[in-house]
Amino acid sequence: MCGAVLFLLIFAVSVIQASDTMLMFVGEDLEVISIASRKEEAASKAPAIVRVMTRETMDQTQVTTIAEALAESAGFSVEQTEKGSVPYLRGIQDSALFLYDTVPMGSGAYKSFHLIDHETSLAPVKRIEIVRGAGSVLWGPDAFAGVVNAVPLTGKDLQGFETGARVSSDDEARDAYLNYGCDQGPWDLFFSLSGRVSREDDTAYNVVSFWDEGGGPAAPEDRFGQEMPADSRYVELYSSVSFKQWLTLSARLSDNTKHFSVSDGADEFVWEERLSAPTETFKLELSKDVDLASKIRLTGYYTQTRLHHEIIDREFDPAENSVYAELIYDRSMFTSNGLLTAGISQRKTKFSDIPVWKGFFPDYLDEDNLYFTPEVETVDYENDLSSVFGQYRHKFKNVELWAGVRNDRHDRFEDKISYNFGGLWDLYSDWVVKSAYGTAYRTPFAAQVAEQEDILLEKIDSLNFQVAWKPDKKRNIGLTLFQNRIENHVIEDRYAGAGLSIANRQTIYGAELECDFKLLDGLSLSGNLTVLDNTGPDETYLYNDYSYVDSDGSRFDHYQQLDYGYNTGSDVLFNARAEWDVTGNIRLIPEVHYFSERAFYNPVEDVHTKCSGAWTMDLNARIRNLFPFEVDVFVKNLADTRYETPGLYSVISGNAFNAGVAIKMKW
């Protein structure tokens, strides 16, 4: 496989230049998406259930993170824990593959660790693309219940400078960025630098020391005090340069430190944690037309994330890096009615010093505990993944059909074949009917690698059916019904030390309603509604509550069975937004959000709690053409500032009232 990849890469670079035109199903250029079929096309005609959030929409609603954008999208429930956002897509936790310019971000060792909060700046992002449904055929393992891609700006999108700043009251945040774009015909350049300082958590903590210098427990008289978390800091640099649309080089460097407080289930002990995720990504893209009907695309990247996690006074330094090469061949066939996309890829991923907890950390904080600390082991492992994939689409007048297959060969895990098929019926130009079915697999997280000898990859079967009505640019409504069936489902325990859940099967049914209407000149409404229902068994843990060594030196582990219900996040989600041009210079954008109750389970402490649902409201006022810059004045969480949400070990307060102002200028 490696030899084949090398041969194809050399061939791609040496291919002679031909025509600049290749006929594909481009469609109307309104909302463009690139991740549904690995090329840009109209979202309404894409072979998947998709949604696009544009830069304009994010500016209007003062969305500042990917997590906030997803919370306003159909299918997504996003919980805010002390550590960061936990996304549920269609009732499945941590189930979307997150990409930045098609490069995976986040962690492969921790499925519950995402870089979708302020670790990823939206300053250079042009749009966020969302595919709901299994996406493994084109994107490989971990494109489980969906794919989310942040698409950055290029030098052809911005000419000159753009700068912006933002301040807000709740977390005393100060944000600033500088973008620069240059288009010189055959080549273009884009550069972005952004930073943020904020006090994201003002909860005082009382555990100030726990481990001594030798790794044992600190003396009880040294453990307790009263301190406050420090400010969190974020900085990111992104740059890209392109030549004649066939060569693109890009780099993204991100550094951040997040300070936050965490409490145990009884809120008796509170401690500080600090989490850093410096990330480096370098990407190369080559694209060549072979002839009028075919094109070759080469992509290669290197990415590295060096995590740094401090819990009170102990440091953990896990690291992940990945090298990837991919070659894709597109072929337009049958008088441009057919499109074949075929590819081959190779990825080598290395994980180092990944901590796996063997004890439930809050249990050890009691001041009567003089001699014990939780056991933590670190694991190192690698995985080489070779893949061959292909998808074919064919158009018959107003009907389009597609089918695809992918073979993933892991050197450490079991090999898997995923596939998809579906169809689109463009009915009388006003109605579009889509049906899509696909399978996907999820690679294991570090605790599975450390604790399981024979790992069965988690599998999903995703069935989708959508009916959409779009008579013109002013009106659009769509209804999607879906079913997700999951096999070998194992929870990555976010409560450190509870262990792994026993593999089970889950089935989730749901419906998503989305609409956009322009009622009058200067007034439009949009919104979405998601409803979920889960059928499946409870999650079961075998928790190692104590161990002992007998007189012969043999170790015995005692296990307690812990059960709790499968958690879908909120099973009813509602978002609505109005855009009202009060004058030619002032626009008001009110938003209303609702999420139903959320379950919090702490199996070790035997805590089962329901956090009530809540209605929240945001309001943004955009002022343009009155100053040499644009101004946004915003308030968030007007309706409910006292709701609770699941945290890491306990129930915590939801987002508080927040007000602020943002300015932006181009020159």
Side-chain angles (χ1 to χ4, degrees), residues 534-552:
N534 172 63
T535 61
D538 288 349
E539 304 289 348
T540 299
Y541 286 106
L542 293 179
Y543 170 56
N544 180 200
D545 53 355
Y546 65 86
S547 303
Y548 64 91
V549 178
D550 65 11
S551 57
D552 297 331

Side-chain angles (χ1 to χ4, degrees), residues 404-469:
V405 64
R406 182 187 190 97
N407 182 21
D408 289 320
R409 298 179 62 86
H410 301 267
D411 70 338
R412 182 171 185 110
F413 314 121
E414 58 181 328
D415 300 336
K416 286 297 181 182
I417 295 177
S418 53
Y419 52 89
N420 66 15
F421 55 85
L424 181 153
W425 183 18
D426 197 345
L427 182 62
Y428 305 122
S429 299
D430 293 347
W431 293 85
V432 174
V433 178
K434 286 184 184 180
S435 181
Y437 175 82
T439 64
Y441 295 88
R442 185 152 49 175
T443 53
F445 42 88
Q448 287 178 279
V449 175
E451 298 181 20
Q452 295 180 345
E453 294 183 1
D454 297 321
I455 301 174
L456 297 177
L457 299 189
E458 192 175 357
K459 178 188 176 183
I460 190 171
D461 294 279
S462 178
L463 177 63
N464 302 268
F465 179 79
Q466 183 182 74
V467 178
W469 178 62

Side-chain angles (χ1 to χ4, degrees), residues 270-325:
V270 184
W271 63 95
E272 184 191 29
E273 297 191 15
R274 297 166 293 281
L275 184 62
S276 301
T279 301
E280 303 168 4
T281 301
F282 303 94
K283 182 183 177 186
L284 164 70
E285 295 177 276
L286 293 171
S287 177
K288 275 290 191 182
D289 290 337
V290 179
D291 51 40
L292 285 173
S294 57
K295 174 182 289 189
I296 288 181
R297 292 175 285 158
L298 165 68
T299 300
Y301 65 74
Y302 169 79
T303 183
Q304 176 175 267
T305 301
R306 299 185 303 273
L307 299 177
H308 180 74
H309 190 187
E310 297 181 48
I311 302 178
I312 309 176
D313 47 13
R314 179 166 179 177
E315 301 181 5
F316 302 91
D317 292 291
E320 305 178 21
N321 63 70
S322 182
V323 179
Y324 182 80

Side-chain angles (χ1 to χ4, degrees), residues 548-591:
Y548 64 91
V549 178
D550 65 11
S551 57
D552 297 331
S554 300
R555 174 178 171 138
F556 292 90
D557 296 323
H558 181 270
Y559 290 90
Q560 176 186 1
Q561 180 171 315
L562 306 173
D563 298 292
Y564 66 89
Y566 177 84
N567 189 4
T568 61
S570 297
D571 55 15
V572 179
L573 301 159
F574 174 73
N575 300 283
R577 180 177 74 248
E579 298 177 19
W580 177 28
D581 290 326
V582 181
T583 69
N585 300 323
I586 300 177
R587 172 177 290 188
L588 291 181
I589 302 101
E591 293 184 284

